[in-house]
Amino acid sequence: MKRRSFLKGTLATGAAAVAVNAGLLTPSTVLADWNKNAFSAKSSDDALNSVFGSASATAEGDVKLKAPAIAENGAVTPVTVDATGMSGVESIAILASKNPMPLVCTYDFADSALGYVSTRIKMGETMNVVAVVKAGGKLFKAEQEVKVTIGGCGG
Amino acid sequence: MSIKIRMRGKSKGGVAEVKALIKHPMESGVRMNKKTGKPYPAKFIDSVKVSVNGAEAVNAQWSGAVSANPYMAVQVKANAGDEVKLAITDNTGETGEETLKLK
């Protein structure tokens, strides 16, 4: 009798643990897909190394980066990266050089998409916005300084 | 509760610019609550996927440094009548989805 109830107890807790695991699994599998190393990197080079495996990008490509020269509100800085003039664009990464974690976002493109991204990002202070484009296995970048008059990370 | 998305898009010469506005706090997990001295817990969209007629076209990963209530625009090869789907997930596992039939 004791053994029976013991077994029942372990089975019940076991099932509960499985359920909890299943519940927790959804966000953690998503995170596995998410490049945690790159996004928690403290420097642009580290972030680029973990996204592309290299941090050396040339400025020779046809990467058009559009960002304001002065952002009145750093919390909503519009940034557009246009690499539609290049062929074989595989991915685009946007970085804010002096943010505590510089990598803002990465975009991977299939053949059915063009190398174009427009978004809005948070910037804590005056710094460079960097767009890195991977096309045909090579890295290209464009950089622009944005003066921030009100910070975006302290509120 | 799923995340709210508004989408617009129009095809022109086989290329469609798809724009989306997403309603989300995008809390980075770094911002401090001055009253308690502790950071607000992170809640930001980390995955955005755009597909055309069921085939994945763009796979984006975001950090908390994307602005609150994010705006996003991408260009995909699609014609009028094609279905563009946007699927997003945040770091807490909350999801949102929106489909748009291109004009």
Side-chain angles (χ1 to χ4, degrees), chain A residues 18-59:
Chain A
V18 167
V20 168
N21 276 339
L24 283 173
L25 241 155
T26 339
S28 66
T29 42
V30 169
L31 280 175
D33 191 24
W34 193 65
N35 196 336
K36 193 165 186 258
N37 284 342
F39 283 107
S40 55
K42 299 273 188 284
S43 79
S44 302
D45 283 1
D46 288 353
L48 286 175
N49 268 323
S50 62
V51 177
F52 298 115
S54 161
S56 53
T58 64

Side-chain angles (χ1 to χ4, degrees), chain A residues 34 75 106 108 110 112 114 122, chain B residues 26 57 59 61-62 65 67 77:
Chain A
W34 193 65
T106 64
D108 294 327
S112 56
L114 278 76
K122 296 178 197 166
Chain B
M26 294 303 285
N59 180 357
Q61 295 181 20
W62 289 3
S67 299
K77 289 174 193 159

